[in-house]
């Protein structure tokens, strides 16, 4: 897919991921011309489309395979961050879990000055996207572009996880997007008829031949073009040459938590001192660009199985639990997730056959930064999430590990459990578990926050997603989240795309 260099469209969208795909579709539906520019290739790899294919995509040519800076509170380790480099972005690489988060997530955004982003305002946008297999209901949409399905035949070990958690007092939750999020249950997934339904496949594949659409793949955007304080397009590298794409109306950055922030910095929009340090000419001194980087930490409680596990029919991530460290919280802050495969715990010897109870937290307090390594637009930025810097994050992670071990030791797993491989039976005390977390903590792949929405001095975009100090430029992806949603971030990113499309067309 290629473009005509120098051609002008109403909108230029950088990034064809969870948000960018939605924005492009909605703008096309409303009569606008759109140029979508994606760094990765078309989504033709069969591993993308199989719900069981995502482990094979990690560290493949379709993965940016970002690595963090050494993490001071995690044994000086560099953490691996998968990020999709393909049409569909990370929605072509993820585990396909559809979770919106708790209503208090969005109400908190509104209380922080992000008016129009409270739960009552965004809930209809979630429903508008959705084509739930059960049809329209109080909690779900039935005629949107995004297929959402229940898991028809749960894996026996995923069912054992649910049975064990219920026996330990956790309530059954039939729908994490329904009336009560807290509890244990089976996931709803962005799949249909045994196929992954990425944002690109759901929103854009049906209209890919639209006469007002141009899609450019294999193109690395180097900078936003600025003229008299306004974004007029972007400059990008493709096929060994530099090209320019012009926007008659606006430029939208949907490159994700890494790509959008890095592109702003490369364009001279960010903390002036940092830009000068790396040799980028300052266009707008915007201190918050690259601040507020955070993520859902995860660590693998791994078990060796008594025998090889049968293959699953769904997404390998079929059941999970939302729980709270304190019942007085308005929503959950823990998210243990079950995988009927070995999801390795770093530096621990892993069994050939096994399963994983992944301990995770969903309301982390630690915050870090994204910075440029240099003015070279092809250089990977410096990622420092400062993971586990806050005491709460460590203690909540240990709480989550303890819950996973209780579930993993329950009689419901007796037929499958041979031995605990990580952290292993020698880990007995909370300090032992803290050391396990430091040694093996990784990520849920839910990075957010580097182009924070708000009204404070570190906000990058206003509640209409307009970049402060630049006309005609918006950011719309998970990077705008002031604080992370309490669950998997794909559904919220799609909602952000819906909201952005409404804001763009209201302005246009």
């Amino acid at each position: 897919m290629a473009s005509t260099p120098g051609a002008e469209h109403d909108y230029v969208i950088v990034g064809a991921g969870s948000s960018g795909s939605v924005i492009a579709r909605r703008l096309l539906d409303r009569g606008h011309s759109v140029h979508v520019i994606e760094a990765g290739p078309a989504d033709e790899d069969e591993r993308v489309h199989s719900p069981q294919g995502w482990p094979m995509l990690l560290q493949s040519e379709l993965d940016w395979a970002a690595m963090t800076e050494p993490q001071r509170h995690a044994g000086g380790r560099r953490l691996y961050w998968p990020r999709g480099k393909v049409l569909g972005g990370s929605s072509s690489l993820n585990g396909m879990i559809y979770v919106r988060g708790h209503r208090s997530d969005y109400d908190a955004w509104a209380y922080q000055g992000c008016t129009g982003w409270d739960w009552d305002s965004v809930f209809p946008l979630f429903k508008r996207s959705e084509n739930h297999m059960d049809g329209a209901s109080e909690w779900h949409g039935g005629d949107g572009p995004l297929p959402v399905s229940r898991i028809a035949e749960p894996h026996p070990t995923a069912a054992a996880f649910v049975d064990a958690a219920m026996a330990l007092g956790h309530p059954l939750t039939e729908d994490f997007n329904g009336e009560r999020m807290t509890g244990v249950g089976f996931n709803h997934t962005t799949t249909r008829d045994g196929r992954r339904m990425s944002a690109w496949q759901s929103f854009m594949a049906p209209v890919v031949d639209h006469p007002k659409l141009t899609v450019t793949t294999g193109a690395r955007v180097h900078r936003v073009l600025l003229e008299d304080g306004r974004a007029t397009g972007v400059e990008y590298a493709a096929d060994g040459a530099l090209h320019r794409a012009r926007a008659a109306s606006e430029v939208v950055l949907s490159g994700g938590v890494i790509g959008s922030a890095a592109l702003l910095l490369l364009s001279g929009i960010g903390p002036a001192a940092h830009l000068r340090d790396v040799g980028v000419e300052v266009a707008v001194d915007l201190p918050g660009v690259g601040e507020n980087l955070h993520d859902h930490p995860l660590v693998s409680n791994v078990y060796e199985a008594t025998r090889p596990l049968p293959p699953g029919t769904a997404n390998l991530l079929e059941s999970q639990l939302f729980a709270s460290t304190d019942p007085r919280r308005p929503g959950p802050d823990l998210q243990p997730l079950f995988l009927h495969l070995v999801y390795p715990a770093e530096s621990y010897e892993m069994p050939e056959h096994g399963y994983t109870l992944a301990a995770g937290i969903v309301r982390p307090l630690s915050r870090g930064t994204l910075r440029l390594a240099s003015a070279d637009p092809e250089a990977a930025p410096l990622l420092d999430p400062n993971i586990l810097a806050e005491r709460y994050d460590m203690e909540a992670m240990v709480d989550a590990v303890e819950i996973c071990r209780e579930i993993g030791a329950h009689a419901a797993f007796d037929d499958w459990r041979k031995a605990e491989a990580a952290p292993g039976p020698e880990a007995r005390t909370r300090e032992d578990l803290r050391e396990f977390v430091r040694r093996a903590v990784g990520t849920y792949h839910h990075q957010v926050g580097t182009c924070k929405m708000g009204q404070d001095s570190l906000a990058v975009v206003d509640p209409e997603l307009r970049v402060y100090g630049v006309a005609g430029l918006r950011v719309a992806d998970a990077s705008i989240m002031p604080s992370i949603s309490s669950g998997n971030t794909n559904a919220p990113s799609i909602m952000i795309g819906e909201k952005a499309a409404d804001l763009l067309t209201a302005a246009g």
Side-chain angles (χ1 to χ4, degrees):
M1 298 180 185
S3 67
T4 303
E8 184 173 77
H9 295 71
D10 295 336
Y11 295 93
V12 171
I13 301 172
V14 179
S18 299
S19 303
S21 297
V22 179
I23 299 165
R25 172 62 180 273
R26 298 310 189 190
L27 291 176
L28 288 170
D29 287 348
R30 297 167 194 177
H32 300 284
S33 62
V34 178
H35 185 177
V36 178
I37 304 175
E38 166 59 43
D43 55 342
E44 296 169 348
D45 192 313
E46 185 55 35
R47 295 172 297 177
V48 169
H49 303 293
S50 166
Q52 294 90 42
W54 63 263
M56 295 179 284
L57 294 169
L58 303 182
Q59 299 191 357
S60 74
E61 66 280 7
L62 304 183
D63 178 9
W64 286 100
M67 298 296 293
T68 72
E69 295 300 287
Q71 293 302 287
R72 183 160 57 98
H73 303 285
R77 295 181 301 117
R78 294 178 183 268
L79 307 184
Y80 159 58
W81 283 3
R83 296 285 84 197
K85 188 180 182 182
V86 59
L87 290 179
S90 294
S91 74
S92 291
L93 197 81
N94 69 1
M96 292 152 280
I97 296 172
Y98 184 80
V99 172
R100 298 171 184 150
H102 194 266
R103 66 177 301 138
S104 61
D105 302 336
Y106 306 99
D107 289 341
W109 294 2
Y111 278 121
Q112 294 172 44
C114 301
T115 50
W117 292 84
D118 58 282
W119 173 252
D120 288 342
S121 295
V122 302
F123 179 43
L125 300 175
F126 282 110
K127 292 179 71 173
R128 184 169 81 189
S129 291
E130 194 180 10
N131 182 340
H132 198 282
M133 66 179 297
D134 293 346
S137 66
E138 179 185 1
W139 295 102
H140 292 283
D143 56 5
L146 179 70
V148 176
S149 299
R150 294 180 182 270
I151 293 171
E153 300 176 7
H155 193 275
T157 55
F161 176 85
V162 174
D163 292 344
M166 289 176 59
L168 291 165
H170 298 281
L172 177 66
T173 297
E174 293 283 355
D175 182 356
F176 295 122
N177 301 299
E179 185 172 359
R180 190 191 71 233
M181 186 179 181
T182 301
V184 66
F186 297 102
N187 289 312
H188 295 192
T189 63
T190 50
T191 60
R192 188 60 50 89
D193 300 326
R195 304 283 284 178
R196 174 198 292 273
M197 297 306 300
S198 69
W200 184 264
Q201 282 297 311
S202 299
F203 287 84
M204 289 303 296
V207 297
V208 74
D209 295 324
H210 196 291
K212 289 191 174 183
L213 172 66
T214 298
V215 179
T216 304
T217 53
R220 186 76 172 262
V221 177
H222 284 185
R223 64 188 178 102
V224 177
L225 301 173
L226 302 175
E227 297 176 14
D228 298 323
R230 183 176 185 86
T232 58
V234 299
E235 183 176 81
Y236 64 93
D239 301 320
L242 286 178
H243 307 274
R244 291 190 169 191
R246 294 283 181 178
S249 185
E250 297 198 47
V251 174
V252 183
L253 305 187
S254 295
V257 69
I258 299 173
S260 290
L263 186 53
L264 287 177
L265 294 171
L266 289 165
S267 306
I269 304 166
H274 168 60
L275 295 176
R276 293 189 186 104
D277 286 345
V278 295
V280 174
E281 183 179 349
V282 179
V284 178
D285 182 10
L286 195 56
V289 178
E291 296 288 335
N292 193 45
L293 175 61
H294 57 293
D295 188 16
H296 288 155
L298 173 148
V299 68
S300 292
N301 173 211
V302 181
Y303 292 84
E304 182 178 7
T306 54
R307 59 193 184 279
L309 272 62
T313 61
N315 63 332
L316 312 178
L317 308 158
E318 296 181 5
S319 53
Q320 64 183 345
L321 165 69
F322 285 97
S324 293
T325 53
D326 186 329
R328 296 171 295 182
R329 284 181 171 270
D333 61 337
L334 307 178
Q335 187 187 9
L337 169 68
F338 183 80
L339 304 85
H340 57 85
L341 54 85
V342 174
Y343 196 71
E346 188 173 333
S347 79
Y348 285 80
E349 187 174 344
M350 291 291 100
E352 181 181 1
H353 305 295
Y355 50 90
T356 307
L357 283 70
I361 67 172
V362 290
R363 291 182 179 267
L365 298 181
S366 302
R367 298 292 187 269
T369 59
L370 176 151
R371 294 287 183 258
L372 295 181
S374 73
D376 179 1
E378 301 288 336
L382 306 177
L383 309 172
D384 181 10
N386 200 24
I387 196 168
L388 302 176
E390 295 289 346
R391 179 180 180 276
Y392 158 80
D393 291 0
M394 172 61 83
E395 296 308 311
M397 282 295 291
V398 172
D399 289 346
V401 172
E402 289 181 334
I403 290 172
C404 287
R405 296 183 93 189
E406 289 173 357
I407 294 172
H410 190 269
F413 279 104
D414 283 355
D415 189 43
W416 297 101
R417 182 184 57 250
K418 181 176 180 181
E420 185 186 71
E426 64 277 6
R428 297 184 179 89
T429 67
R430 279 188 72 89
E431 183 52 41
D432 292 339
L433 296 183
R434 292 186 191 102
E435 180 55 30
F436 166 59
V437 170
R438 283 188 285 267
R439 190 175 148 188
V441 69
T443 170
Y444 241 123
H445 316 161
H446 295 164
Q447 299 84 16
V448 306
T450 51
C451 300
K452 173 181 141 177
M453 172 174 57
Q455 299 184 21
D456 61 284
S457 60
L458 290 180
V460 176
V461 299
D462 69 12
E464 281 70 50
L465 304 182
R466 299 172 297 203
V467 176
Y468 284 109
V470 185
L473 180 62
R474 303 199 201 213
V475 180
D477 54 36
S479 71
I480 64 98
M481 292 188 186
S483 53
I484 195 166
S485 57
S486 55
N488 309 73
T489 48
N490 184 49
S493 297
I494 288 171
M495 178 277 290
I496 289 168
E498 292 278 17
K499 180 79 168 178
D502 285 358
L503 294 169
L504 286 162
T505 50

